[in-house]
Amino acid sequence: MKVMSVRLPLANRLAHDYVLGKESAVACFGYHPYEQASYRERLNWLRGQAFPHRERLADGLYTYNQSVDNHPEALKRIEALRCPDTYVVIGGQQAGVLTGPLYTIHKAVHLIQAAQKLSAELQTEVIPVFWIAGEDHDIDEIDHLHWLIDQERGVHKERVELQKKGRKSASQLPVDEEACQRFLEAFFHAHTQTEHTPSIRALLEETLRAATSMADWFARIMARLFGKHGLVLVESSLPFVRELERPMFRKVIEQNEEISLLLGKAEERLEAAGYPKQLQVAENQANLFLYEDGERLLLERYADRFVNRRASYTKEELLRLLEADPQRFSANVVSRALMQEHLFPTLAFVGGTGEVAYWAYYRDVFAACGLQLPIVVPRMSVTLLEGALGRLLNGFDLRMEQVLTGFADWKRTWEAQQVRHPLEQKFAETREALLAVYRPLVEEVVKLDPGMERLAGKNTTFLLEQVSFLEERLIRSLHEREDVAWHRVRRIEAALLPDGGWQERKLSFFSFANKHGLTLADQLVEAPFALDGSHQIFWL
């Protein structure tokens, strides 16, 4: 098992500076994510806090994880959470079909490895918790998967044909077994059948038959992949979760104006430090959703009323509704962070670079709600490098840093250095000969009818373009047939930079598992990754 770490710039400058430990970024959070002293300090703070709902939290988690057939090892970790000196490392993701892009898998691996590492270093139980954002109602973000067709045709996007009506969340969206089965057929038809295909098909079809919603299907797949490693699952819309969140929803309603003011001040501080806006902050945002007839609608605050497109409430009416029916309430990106911190004794939160940038706004909001921002850890990023591709990189003397940060420039330079095909000179000579013959004819035409000068010029350009078109197609065909190097360059690009972006943001875990087996998930968990903000290259 070979792993290599490389330092790469992050697209989000705030997250990049945070990884590098720049004071301007670290000051937004309170803890440095890569210093052990941060974890001891945070642990000491947690030990001084009360979590009176631990038993009810463990009961709810146990029931839910049993319901999605999570592994006994995960259930064992939930039992450990009843102990006052047990803590969590937590992160989450939307409930993408077949787990969505690879980065979902990488986040689960990071949580498991971080929990193992911290348990050993701090000599206390730390369990990994994966928060399924099942209430996300942007179904278009989770109803599809990408896979690589070949190096010429690139990446294919396949959608599940879900019946989407209104602002329904993934946890409310029933599984359409026929539509999902058609999706699976498309997936397996597009992939070469291997010795691993039957077991993957069995896992996906078994979990599909048992699932009650798209979020439930996601949870069952994740349980099968990572439950044996102790990954505990929680889904945001569960009734027990909402019941336990009620005190924090009350604070968000009662302190709504203050929270908005603090978010605005955080934005000003970030801009003063030279960082662009990371989060949409509006004076009238209530940072809450409310379910109306099953639809998850955004609440906004105008004067003394909370309004969505169907109803209007006073603060007192909202508080009474919260007491009577907490299931009507749902968190947004800001309040979700508060709910998570209220629910769990959180040692560290693991998030993507965008999430890290959002959390830079929350420090004072947490304090206003009687909480403290946990250690915010950027999720590790990983590229899976198959052996044949590694050999191709060596053949071009290409480093992974070049591929992931400057491949387009390298490719242009490489193409310019290639020996031109002899036919290219012949086509150039043909164009010159064509002009030599055709230009005198055009001159005669223009003498006879000056009004045809423009048409004659267009006609000349058209003839030359047709010769160039034929040249381009022929040279491309010859390259494809004769030039192995061109094939290899396209192969590298398609596998490591599909659609021009990092592999983990586009391709699916199950495409790789189809070639390497479901044990790939276990190999990733056991890999010696450096959880230090560097990019990880994992050789397959």
Side-chain angles (χ1 to χ4, degrees):
M1 186 182 297
K2 183 180 177 184
V3 173
M4 180 178 74
S5 298
V6 294
R7 287 285 175 187
L8 302 177
L10 300 179
N12 186 294
R13 188 161 62 84
L14 174 57
H16 180 70
D17 287 355
Y18 182 55
V19 167
L20 295 180
K22 290 190 177 180
E23 180 58 30
S24 58
V26 175
C28 298
F29 298 91
Y31 290 108
H32 192 296
Y34 305 121
E35 292 179 356
Q36 192 181 56
S38 295
Y39 294 88
R40 296 198 177 279
E41 183 181 342
R42 173 67 178 173
L43 180 62
N44 288 335
W45 185 86
L46 285 171
R47 282 175 169 159
Q49 307 306 303
F51 290 90
H53 57 263
R54 265 186 188 270
E55 287 292 337
R56 286 181 292 158
L57 176 62
D59 288 343
L61 289 173
Y62 198 96
T63 300
Y64 172 65
N65 281 264
Q66 269 192 324
S67 75
V68 296
D69 295 326
N70 208 348
H71 194 276
E73 186 60 31
L75 301 180
K76 179 181 172 184
R77 299 297 176 87
I78 294 170
E79 287 299 322
L81 190 58
R82 298 182 192 278
C83 172
D85 204 31
T86 299
Y87 307 94
V88 309
V89 173
I90 192 168
Q93 199 64 46
Q94 296 165 297
V97 63
L98 303 198
T99 72
L102 273 163
Y103 60 68
T104 301
I105 299 299
H106 300 159
K107 184 173 284 185
V109 171
H110 190 148
L111 291 169
I112 293 166
Q113 289 200 359
Q116 292 172 346
K117 181 174 182 286
L118 291 169
S119 293
E121 290 177 351
L122 301 175
Q123 292 296 293
T124 193
E125 185 86 15
V126 180
I127 66 174
V129 176
F130 193 100
W131 180 292
I132 302 169
E135 290 184 282
D136 197 308
H137 56 249
D138 194 347
I139 304 301
D140 289 341
E141 290 189 4
I142 66 169
D143 67 354
H144 60 272
L145 205 67
H146 293 90
W147 56 72
L148 191 62
I149 303 174
D150 57 44
Q151 61 195 36
E152 298 303 328
R153 289 177 290 169
V155 174
H156 170 73
K157 181 178 182 178
E158 185 78 19
R159 287 191 181 275
V160 184
E161 299 168 7
L162 300 174
Q163 298 300 314
K164 298 171 282 187
K165 293 182 180 179
R167 297 172 70 83
K168 299 287 187 182
S169 62
S171 58
Q172 294 175 309
L173 201 61
V175 166
D176 183 333
E177 194 167 338
E178 289 186 8
C180 291
Q181 192 61 52
R182 287 195 298 271
F183 176 84
L184 290 180
E185 290 303 325
F187 175 86
F188 286 110
H189 178 75
H191 288 76
T192 302
Q193 301 296 293
T194 70
E195 61 180 307
H196 306 296
T197 304
S199 61
I200 293 172
R201 183 186 282 270
L203 182 152
L204 297 178
E205 291 183 345
E206 287 169 12
T207 51
L208 172 61
R209 285 192 296 270
T212 57
S213 69
M214 294 305 291
D216 192 53
W217 191 19
F218 174 92
R220 290 173 182 278
I221 295 172
M222 292 295 285
R224 291 283 289 273
L225 293 177
F226 296 110
K228 70 183 80 171
H229 301 290
L231 186 67
V232 174
L233 304 174
V234 62
E235 198 267 291
S236 62
S237 72
L238 295 170
F240 89 89
V241 169
R242 191 65 77 248
E243 186 65 36
L244 294 179
E245 288 175 338
R246 183 156 35 187
M248 188 51 64
F249 273 111
R250 189 180 301 114
K251 285 188 178 183
V252 172
I253 295 168
E254 291 174 341
Q255 299 174 227
N256 209 266
E257 296 90 338
E258 181 185 7
I259 289 171
S260 292
L261 180 64
L262 291 171
L263 290 171
K265 289 182 176 179
E267 182 174 75
E268 292 172 4
R269 284 197 302 272
L270 287 167
E271 289 184 337
Y275 296 114
K277 291 183 179 181
Q278 311 293 326
L279 189 66
Q280 292 299 319
V281 174
E283 185 179 351
N284 62 333
Q285 69 185 43
N287 297 299
L288 292 171
F289 288 89
L290 194 66
Y291 284 99
E292 304 279 6
D293 297 323
E295 285 196 275
R296 183 171 177 257
L297 303 180
L298 182 69
L299 274 178
E300 295 183 317
R301 188 189 66 258
Y302 293 97
D304 61 346
R305 300 196 72 83
F306 292 81
V307 179
N308 61 37
R309 57 187 173 90
R310 289 197 186 176
S312 173
Y313 304 87
T314 65
K315 183 178 291 188
E316 290 70 25
E317 287 170 338
L318 266 190
L319 290 170
R320 285 197 295 270
L321 181 59
L322 176 64
E323 290 305 310
D325 192 3
Q327 280 298 117
R328 292 277 303 280
F329 291 78
S330 179
N332 81 333
V333 65
V334 175
S335 50
R336 174 214 176 273
L338 294 168
M339 302 303 159
Q340 176 182 290
E341 182 64 17
H342 167 73
L343 282 173
F344 290 93
T346 305
L347 192 58
F349 164 72
V350 175
T353 54
E355 291 175 286
V356 168
Y358 292 162
W359 280 62
Y361 284 70
Y362 300 163
R363 187 190 62 196
D364 292 346
V365 173
F366 270 53
C369 294
L371 304 171
Q372 186 194 76
L373 203 68
I375 301 169
V376 178
V377 183
R379 169 190 62 78
M380 72 171 179
S381 56
V382 182
T383 293
L384 304 181
L385 182 62
E386 294 175 303
L389 280 172
R391 291 189 289 275
L392 292 185
L393 294 179
N394 289 335
F396 287 108
D397 196 25
L398 255 175
R399 295 174 293 107
M400 280 300 298
E401 294 96 315
Q402 288 176 282
V403 174
L404 296 174
T405 61
F407 187 79
D409 291 338
W410 177 90
K411 185 180 176 184
R412 279 192 293 269
T413 301
W414 179 83
E415 287 176 341
Q417 293 170 347
Q418 302 312 297
V419 176
R420 312 303 288 178
H421 197 283
L423 273 178
E424 294 183 57
Q425 180 60 36
K426 288 184 181 278
F427 273 103
E429 293 169 358
T430 299
R431 278 189 293 271
E432 290 297 323
L434 182 62
L435 277 174
V437 173
Y438 198 65
R439 192 175 288 127
L441 176 62
V442 168
E443 290 172 356
E444 291 296 323
V445 168
V446 172
K447 283 179 184 177
L448 292 171
D449 187 348
M452 294 185 68
E453 181 175 5
R454 186 175 178 185
L455 176 63
K458 284 186 175 181
N459 187 245
T460 304
T461 301
F462 176 76
L463 287 173
L464 294 175
E465 286 176 346
Q466 288 301 300
V467 174
S468 295
F469 174 77
L470 180 61
E471 175 189 18
E472 181 183 333
R473 294 300 296 268
L474 178 60
I475 297 301
R476 186 191 304 171
S477 176
L478 290 173
H479 280 323
E480 290 172 355
R481 268 194 341 220
E482 301 171 4
D483 199 331
V484 176
W486 288 88
H487 281 287
R488 290 174 174 170
V489 169
R490 284 194 290 270
R491 185 177 172 190
I492 290 169
E493 191 170 23
L496 301 182
L497 293 170
D499 276 0
W502 282 5
Q503 176 199 88
E504 67 175 10
R505 304 201 66 82
K506 191 66 69 170
L507 301 185
S508 159
F509 167 79
F510 285 101
S511 292
F512 287 91
N514 187 58
K515 290 190 279 185
H516 303 282
L518 289 169
T519 57
L520 175 59
D522 305 321
Q523 294 172 42
L524 290 169
V525 170
E526 294 161 5
F529 291 128
L531 306 182
D532 61 357
S534 60
H535 188 83
Q536 307 295 294
I537 313 299
F538 181 84
W539 266 259
L540 289 168

